Amino acid sequence: MEESGYESVLCVKPEVHVYRIPPRATNRGYRAAEWQLDQPSWSGRLRITAKGQVAYIKLEDRTSGELFAQAPVDQFPGTAVESVTDSSRYFVIRIEDGNGRRAFIGIGFGDRGDAFDFNVALQDHFKWVKQQCEFAKQAQNPDQGPKLDLGFKEGQTIKINIANMKKKEGATGTPRARPASTGGLSLLPPPPGGKASTLIPPPGEQLSVGGSLPHPVVAPSSGGASLSWPQPKPATADVWGDFTKSTGSTSSQTQPGTGWVQF
């Protein structure tokens, strides 16, 4: 396996115990009860590192960090790391000195949680290794990967429902009714023929058909609004009576036949 120069730390445990283990007599596995657990051969710190695809279990001194032993692990589970049959806190690892010599020793944790973290760290690393191998195979042989077939198979048809589409198109073609106005003043249309409305004379008066209408009188306080003044009847006597005589002015008298009042 190709190893990179970068070494990452996967797990660190401050306390681990090392035991000498007797040779395994049968293939049933190791038993921690046979290791004299009250008399460990060495105690120190455990550190798991990874360099490329290989993991290393390193036993180091707590104070100085000096390496006591290390066990390279190329697959898990495997012969490099094995669990015992009677406890979850003890394992058997295969250590190497770099000169080709190997030995099997027992390690144990006082806390069950430390043993769980030790096991999970190795599992996660080799899951990552497996994924990297699969990605490398797919990159080398892209045609061997699963393909997504989106084509129609023989005899396969597709059905499209266009009923709703027709309804929507018909609905958009019909004009909508304009809503009636709810506020403001509505203007009435002009009368047929465009004829102007006729004036109704006051009671007792008659409006001649060919005659002209009297001109309106504009009051100063009306803001320019015009008021129609009916034509009075011809009078034989003075219209103002004694009121004109008391003022002594004849300018305010009405002129006969005009229908105007001067102010």
Side-chain angles (χ1 to χ4, degrees):
M1 295 183 183
E2 228 178 278
E3 296 183 6
S4 62
Y6 178 75
E7 185 177 22
S8 60
V9 179
L10 305 180
C11 180
V12 177
K13 292 301 172 184
E15 185 177 12
V16 65
H17 304 291
V18 175
Y19 302 93
R20 294 180 181 272
I21 61 175
R24 184 167 53 180
T26 62
N27 294 329
R28 293 181 180 178
Y30 294 98
R31 289 176 55 85
E34 302 172 356
W35 294 355
Q36 296 179 359
L37 300 178
D38 55 342
Q39 298 177 1
S41 300
W42 182 86
S43 297
R45 180 180 65 188
L46 180 141
R47 191 160 60 99
I48 303 177
T49 63
K51 193 175 182 181
Q53 296 182 351
V54 181
Y56 295 89
I57 301 173
K58 297 183 178 183
L59 305 175
E60 302 171 343
D61 186 79
R62 291 194 188 101
T63 306
S64 63
E66 182 182 359
L67 182 65
F68 172 75
Q70 73 174 0
V73 184
D74 54 359
Q75 67 178 38
F76 181 81
T79 57
V81 180
E82 296 183 44
S83 301
V84 299
T85 58
D86 57 345
S87 178
S88 62
R89 294 186 292 126
Y90 298 92
F91 302 88
V92 176
I93 63 175
R94 184 183 62 191
I95 60 175
E96 297 181 6
D97 62 353
N99 296 324
R101 292 185 300 177
R102 298 178 178 179
F104 290 92
I105 61 174
I107 61 172
F109 300 93
D111 188 0
R112 198 176 301 275
D114 293 343
F116 177 79
D117 295 341
F118 169 81
N119 197 16
V120 170
L122 292 173
Q123 287 179 357
D124 291 345
H125 172 71
F126 286 98
K127 283 181 182 178
W128 174 82
V129 171
K130 185 178 179 181
Q131 291 178 355
Q132 295 300 316
C133 293
E134 292 177 355
F135 293 156
K137 289 180 182 178
Q138 291 179 2
Q140 292 177 358
N141 301 315
D143 297 336
Q144 293 182 0
K147 296 181 180 180
L148 183 61
D149 186 10
L150 299 178
F152 286 97
K153 298 185 173 50
E154 185 178 357
Q156 187 177 5
T157 59
I158 186 171
K159 183 179 180 181
I160 301 175
N161 187 6
I162 61 174
N164 294 333
M165 297 173 62
K166 288 183 178 179
K167 289 181 180 179
K168 290 181 180 179
E169 290 177 359
T172 55
T174 56
R176 295 183 179 179
R178 188 172 181 181
S181 175
T182 56
L185 297 177
S186 60
L187 300 178
L188 297 177
K195 296 180 180 180
S197 59
T198 58
L199 297 177
I200 301 175
E205 299 285 339
Q206 290 184 357
L207 184 64
S208 61
V209 178
S212 61
L213 296 176
H215 295 282
V217 178
V218 179
S221 62
S222 60
S226 60
L227 300 175
S228 62
W229 190 269
Q231 186 176 2
K233 293 181 180 181
T236 56
D238 190 0
V239 179
W240 296 98
D242 297 336
F243 178 78
T244 306
K245 293 179 181 180
S246 63
T247 57
S249 175
T250 58
S251 62
S252 60
Q253 295 181 359
T254 58
Q255 298 178 3
T258 59
W260 285 88
V261 178
Q262 294 181 359
F263 292 94

